Amino acid sequence: MDKKVHVIRDNGEGVEATAPIIVSASRSTDIPGFYSDWFLSRLKKGYSAWTNPFNGVKSFVSYQNTRLIVFWSKNPRRLLDADGLLDYLDSKRINCYVQYTLNDYEDEGLEQGVPPIIERIETFKRLARRLGVGKVIWRFDPLILTDSITVNVLLDKVKRIGDQLKGYTEKLVFSYADIDSYRKVKANLEASCINYRNFTEQDMLEFAKGIQQLNKAWGYTIATCGEKIDISRFGIEHNKCVDDDLMIKYFSDDEALMDYLGVEIRRDDLFSTEPTIIKHKTNKDKGQRAFCGCIASKDIGEYNTCAHLCEYCYANASKKIALRNLERNRQNPYGETITGE
């Protein structure tokens, strides 16, 4: 469990703050895409504030114990800026990896605020060269069906990207859009007159079989995010996006992180070149969806702040509100919260 610490706010007030080992930045918004400068400034300050979306209560997050940050983004180019976030994390020896959502809905206009796909693919490659291939995960998320997007069209889109990313990632993660289960997604699509349809089980199986065939040329690990359906017979596993196995693989030299995860690493076997990994506890995040495999982390983003303006967005009540909150940040770009409040 994350410890509580005392922090001094910008206004001089002392408050109690959660001090997470693992930070998620963020499932709720695109921090690298829109709030990179804000996050860097708050890391240097040592804390930020977060408003609970359900009760409106403000709480505080200290970064004094943080050992790893999981970034989620559709446009993480700003991470590569000189003297930006990655350089700062390196200077503090804080680990990170990136969940990079790289979809192709350009022809359909479903993601109005993202750069052209050719630019996003180049950013992906640069990021992989900077961090390492295994630390940039490709997400085609969500898969969505409309009157013009069929399963075969989706497979063609995934193939075009997957062919170009070969050698730059180890994993592809996808999810099937479950539109009727998410009120905001359904409302946003209907408001934009998008003629969507939900996936049937047959659609899911058809796509999974197609991905299995495509992966013969790629050799990626393929996984689903938060999906109930078992498609393991197609070589597709259930994913952990905040993933202790990935952390062990790439950051096992971080003793504080390994201790938090309850991981023991034994390197004294004279007959093996590989260390023995022993997990002493499960770290599953009980606050996530039933079929989410993620381990526990502290998300520091806020809903209604992402300006990619995707038509299927689950994190924004409306485009207008998201743009208004982005403008609030620009007026007070280094405030305690993303929205400058």
Side-chain angles (χ1 to χ4, degrees), residues 22-69:
I22 301 171
V23 168
S24 174
S26 154
R27 291 183 178 94
S28 304
T29 191
D30 193 328
I31 287 176
F34 298 106
Y35 304 101
S36 178
D37 290 344
W38 170 80
F39 189 35
L40 179 57
S41 73
R42 297 319 306 180
L43 285 170
K44 291 178 178 179
K45 286 274 189 178
Y47 84 99
S48 63
W50 177 80
T51 304
N52 188 302
F54 302 105
N55 59 23
V57 174
K58 181 182 285 188
S59 60
F60 300 88
V61 180
S62 165
Y63 300 110
Q64 74 175 48
N65 294 336
T66 298
R67 300 305 316 136
L68 182 134
I69 299 172

Side-chain angles (χ1 to χ4, degrees), residues 163 166 212-220:
D163 288 348
K166 187 175 180 181
Q212 182 185 45
Q213 293 301 311
L214 292 176
N215 200 38
K216 291 178 179 179
W218 300 333
Y220 299 146

Side-chain angles (χ1 to χ4, degrees), residues 222-283:
I222 309 289
T224 57
C225 178
E227 294 290 346
K228 178 180 179 179
I229 190 170
D230 181 359
I231 45 180
S232 57
R233 64 184 179 277
F234 300 108
I236 300 171
E237 60 191 45
H238 293 291
N239 199 49
K240 293 187 287 187
C241 301
V242 182
D243 185 354
D244 53 352
D245 291 324
L246 183 150
M247 295 173 199
I248 295 166
K249 181 177 181 179
Y250 291 111
F251 310 117
S252 62
D253 58 342
D254 188 320
E255 293 182 5
L257 178 61
M258 294 301 104
D259 182 62
Y260 172 77
L261 295 175
V263 172
E264 181 183 354
I265 301 176
R266 296 180 179 174
R267 306 180 189 273
D268 55 357
D269 187 343
L270 299 178
F271 302 100
S272 174
T273 58
E274 296 297 323
T276 300
I277 306 296
I278 303 172
K279 288 185 179 181
H280 291 288
K281 65 177 183 177
T282 177
N283 296 291

Side-chain angles (χ1 to χ4, degrees), residues 103-209:
N103 302 333
D104 178 9
Y105 294 126
E106 281 190 334
D107 292 344
E108 297 81 11
L110 296 183
E111 299 176 334
Q112 298 177 25
V114 299
I117 191 167
I118 190 170
E119 293 182 18
R120 287 180 281 140
I121 289 173
E122 180 57 30
T123 295
F124 194 107
K125 292 178 177 180
R126 288 180 60 203
L127 201 55
R129 287 191 287 264
R130 174 68 167 77
L131 292 177
V133 169
K135 299 173 189 175
V136 187
I137 292 90
W138 171 32
R139 304 176 70 88
F140 200 111
D141 178 33
L143 300 166
I144 187 168
L145 298 174
T146 71
D147 50 2
S148 63
I149 303 176
T150 64
V151 169
N152 284 334
V153 169
L154 282 174
L155 288 168
D156 286 342
K157 291 175 179 292
V158 174
K159 181 181 186 302
R160 284 194 295 272
I161 298 174
D163 288 348
Q164 295 179 74
L165 294 186
K166 187 175 180 181
Y168 291 93
T169 191
E170 295 177 349
K171 178 179 278 191
L172 164 61
V173 178
F174 67 88
S175 68
Y176 302 109
D178 183 12
I179 296 164
D180 288 343
S181 296
Y182 292 88
R183 179 177 53 82
K184 283 191 286 189
V185 175
K186 189 173 188 293
N188 287 333
L189 286 169
E190 291 176 350
S192 296
C193 300
I194 305 297
N195 295 317
Y196 69 88
R197 72 176 180 85
N198 281 304
F199 277 86
T200 65
E201 183 173 331
Q202 183 57 41
D203 292 327
M204 295 180 188
L205 296 175
E206 182 182 348
F207 182 84
K209 184 177 181 180

